[in-house]
Amino acid sequence: MPLTALPKAGRNADSIKKDLQNFRQADANWRDGRTFSLVFNPGEEAVAIAKHAYCEYFSENALNPSAFPSLRKMEQDCVAMTANLLNGNKKTCGLMTSGGTESLLMAVKSARDWGRAKGITEPNIILPISAHPAFHKAADYFGVEMIVTPVTESGCADINAMRGSINTKTIMLVGSAPSYPHGVVDPIAGIAKLAKDKELLCHVDSCIGGFILPFIEALGRDVPSWDFRVDGVTSISCDLHKYAYAAKGASVLLYSDEKIRRHQYSVYTEWSGGIYASPSVSGTRSGGAIAAAWAVMNFLGYDGYLDITRRTMECVDKIRKAVGAMEDIRIIGDPQSSILALYSEKLCIFTIGDELQSRGWMADRQHMPNSLHLTISQGHAGREQEFIDDLQWALDRTRRAKMREYSQRMQVSASGKLAQWLPDGAISKIQNLFSGKNAPAVPKRSAAVYGMLASIPERGEIKELVKDALDKINSPA
Ligand SMILES: *Cc1c(COP(=O)(O)O)cnc(C)c1O
């Protein structure tokens, strides 16, 4: 039952604990290694020390670093350890934020104010279509235009397209290491050189890759240069709550120079409460998240991350090899990292996703092209054979279903997270969108919502539909 008010009298702790247990029944089953992205599980011991640290600093607040020198020390340690891992030098500096989104918001805010100082009042940033949506959130918030460029066949940023988009109002170029959708590292050296030649900033989004690519490289695998060793890179974002296996709420944003970081700060001197200064979006900041990140980084150490990465990449290799031997399915591009996007020319990949989901595997649906997203991490090591068997099973079922030809009936129920939240009437709205004169036919093989959404030309309409869905998610059941 949804609550509509505070309970009049407080409840006893045991009944609350029981509720907390029960609420999770319908949650994604990450403990079995069947959930991709969302949860990064370093194993029991590392989780235990992270939890200990989190609880130890549960109440402390990093809003005021002079009140809690402990947090300031741990934050600076986390920044320094990350900067060292990403080959920063003496001038490299940074800050912690609550996550990748906040890091990207701040990188854009710094760039905007850096541009303003040069007299650019209507700035734009050039980024590939594979760059994370947080850049577009930053555009929404900070009034910076995002100029989106295509990616090449292999899913990598297209430098020529980026070069062609630069104009007098451009302030920054963006590349990802790797991109979230396809796990491929953009040609950072080329992007950074272009930025430097044009006197622009260059941000590398290694939110997901920052704590795995250095170890993949250390294992002797091929990784194109992407970190501070690349001349022209001016900032890098790196989430600790992904492959550093920290508690959620921890990311690092690094700059090549303090002069750029300075543009990130917000200071208000006229408040009756005193002078208020904060480096990032958040005011109050969780001491727990900082302490947990510090603790887990110290617990695992360089060798621990190297071991985890070795196990993770063995799992990735096995899945890649198995997929390579399967018919009608392949991996997009040649990802250097631990992220794979599964693609099928012949079969509906979303139906394959639905079949996998029926066996408990949660893989995100992606489009342009339609694919399934697998972020593989330590929590999946040892589960790869189960996944491979289930993927083969899902392929066979999808193939058989195709041979029977799908009925015209809408296959909506199992098509993933968004579908579940689409409000009543959304499906008919979507269908109506197909009735315009330039509209494509309703996809024949599967009318799964994602497939349909992907082929609707009116992107604005989809935005409104998704906002309807958000309204529904944020209302009581
Ligand atoms: C996860 C991710 C982000 C956003 O990070 P959050 O922690 O989810 O806010 C940004 N960029 C990339 C490449 C990511 O993988």
Side-chain angles (χ1 to χ4, degrees):
M1 281 287 282
L3 294 177
T4 53
L6 279 172
K8 176 83 173 64
R11 295 169 47 192
N12 77 49
D14 282 339
S15 78
I16 292 172
K17 286 182 190 164
K18 214 173 272 162
D19 275 0
L20 292 172
Q21 285 276 335
N22 291 336
F23 290 158
R24 12 177 99 97
Q25 269 169 13
D27 284 1
N29 184 5
W30 59 268
R31 286 180 181 78
D32 282 2
R34 285 174 182 256
T35 301
F36 297 100
S37 75
L38 299 175
V39 176
F40 293 78
N41 178 8
E44 269 173 40
E45 272 187 297
V47 169
I49 184 68
K51 280 186 181 172
H52 173 85
Y54 202 105
C55 292
E56 194 73 16
Y57 282 86
F58 179 85
S59 303
E60 279 75 2
N61 185 344
L63 170 62
N64 182 346
S66 62
F68 301 109
S70 55
L71 294 179
R72 183 159 166 255
K73 182 224 162 7
M74 287 190 278
E75 176 166 3
Q76 286 176 354
D77 283 352
C78 288
V79 169
M81 287 188 277
T82 308
N84 175 265
L85 187 66
L86 306 190
N87 293 292
N89 58 28
K90 281 209 186 85
K91 286 180 83 183
T92 310
C93 62
L95 285 157
M96 279 183 78
T97 70
S98 63
T101 299
E102 193 180 5
S103 287
L104 295 183
L105 289 176
M106 295 336 297
V108 171
K109 196 267 185 193
S110 296
R112 184 198 66 183
D113 290 359
W114 173 88
R116 275 185 186 167
K118 297 207 311 179
I120 299 173
T121 51
E122 291 172 1
N124 66 61
I125 288 174
I126 297 168
L127 74 181
I129 190 168
S130 53
H132 195 273
F135 287 104
H136 302 278
K137 187 183 268 193
D140 276 355
Y141 289 5
F142 299 137
V144 176
E145 186 194 354
M146 294 292 152
I147 299 181
V148 178
T149 53
V151 289
T152 61
E153 186 85 335
S154 59
C156 295
D158 180 339
I159 296 189
N160 290 329
M162 293 182 80
R163 183 183 293 112
S165 301
I166 295 175
N167 61 36
T168 54
K169 296 172 177 174
T170 303
I171 52 171
M172 184 158 78
L173 307 183
V174 168
S176 309
S179 76
Y180 181 84
H182 306 133
V184 293
V185 178
D186 284 333
I188 301 299
I191 296 172
K193 178 167 190 313
L194 183 57
K196 194 172 183 192
D197 288 349
K198 304 274 183 186
E199 296 179 17
L200 306 173
L201 301 178
C202 173
H203 182 81
V204 178
D205 181 3
S206 77
C207 278
I208 196 139
F211 251 81
I212 191 164
L213 287 177
F215 300 101
I216 293 176
E217 186 184 336
L219 289 172
R221 292 164 179 251
D222 237 12
V223 179
S225 348
W226 63 274
D227 62 14
F228 281 115
R229 284 171 291 184
V230 177
D231 190 31
V233 169
T234 55
S235 54
I236 301 182
S237 48
C238 171
D239 291 351
L240 303 181
H241 62 203
K242 289 176 182 159
Y243 282 107
Y245 296 95
K248 284 178 183 55
S251 172
V252 168
L253 174 58
L254 298 169
Y255 293 95
S256 61
D257 195 309
E258 278 184 356
K259 287 193 199 114
I260 309 170
R261 182 178 67 177
R262 207 176 156 80
H263 292 293
Q264 183 180 317
Y265 303 149
S266 174
V267 181
Y268 189 63
T269 55
E270 309 308 308
W271 184 35
S272 37
I275 292 175
Y276 188 101
S278 63
S280 47
V281 172
S282 306
T284 290
R285 295 195 295 142
S286 157
I290 294 171
W294 187 91
V296 83
M297 286 160 86
N298 275 285
F299 180 79
L300 292 171
Y302 187 92
D303 290 346
Y305 285 112
L306 193 64
D307 267 354
I308 282 181
T309 304
R310 188 181 291 112
R311 280 203 300 282
T312 303
M313 293 312 288
E314 280 167 13
C315 175
V316 171
D317 289 345
K318 282 184 199 153
I319 292 176
R320 281 185 80 155
K321 190 159 171 244
V323 170
M326 290 177 192
E327 266 175 53
D328 300 330
I329 192 155
R330 68 175 175 83
I331 282 153
I332 295 177
D334 184 16
Q336 299 90 346
S337 68
S338 46
I339 294 174
L340 306 176
L342 298 176
Y343 171 82
S344 178
E345 191 79 49
K346 266 192 168 161
L347 301 173
C348 174
I349 196 73
F350 297 143
T351 306
I352 296 169
D354 292 348
E355 299 293 358
L356 282 171
Q357 199 162 321
S358 75
R359 296 218 157 164
W361 299 97
M362 284 272 297
D364 283 342
R365 278 68 166 164
Q366 309 190 121
H367 61 174
M368 302 186 280
N370 291 349
S371 57
L372 293 179
H373 181 272
L374 309 178
T375 298
I376 295 159
S377 64
Q378 130 90 24
H380 303 106
R383 304 281 178 171
E384 59 272 11
Q385 197 53 49
E386 276 171 61
F387 177 75
I388 290 164
D389 293 345
D390 284 348
L391 179 61
Q392 186 61 62
W393 170 86
L395 271 170
D396 293 341
R397 271 182 67 95
T398 306
R399 220 177 266 123
R400 276 205 302 278
K402 190 191 170 211
M403 285 180 20
R404 271 191 268 110
E405 278 308 332
Y406 279 115
S407 62
Q408 295 303 85
R409 186 170 51 85
M410 303 273 288
Q411 306 259 322
V412 169
S413 58
S415 53
K417 282 176 292 191
L418 179 61
Q420 171 189 344
W421 291 111
L422 281 173
D424 301 338
I427 300 307
S428 56
K429 261 197 207 169
I430 293 173
Q431 280 188 310
N432 289 340
L433 293 176
F434 282 101
S435 56
K437 66 175 181 323
N438 295 324
V442 173
K444 274 206 193 81
R445 277 197 304 242
S446 163
V449 169
Y450 271 81
M452 294 182 72
L453 287 178
S455 44
I456 295 173
E458 295 295 329
R459 310 311 286 177
E461 300 269 10
I462 297 178
K463 239 186 194 177
E464 292 310 309
L465 271 174
V466 174
K467 285 183 188 172
D468 291 348
L470 285 175
D471 273 343
K472 188 176 168 201
I473 290 170
N474 292 308
S475 311

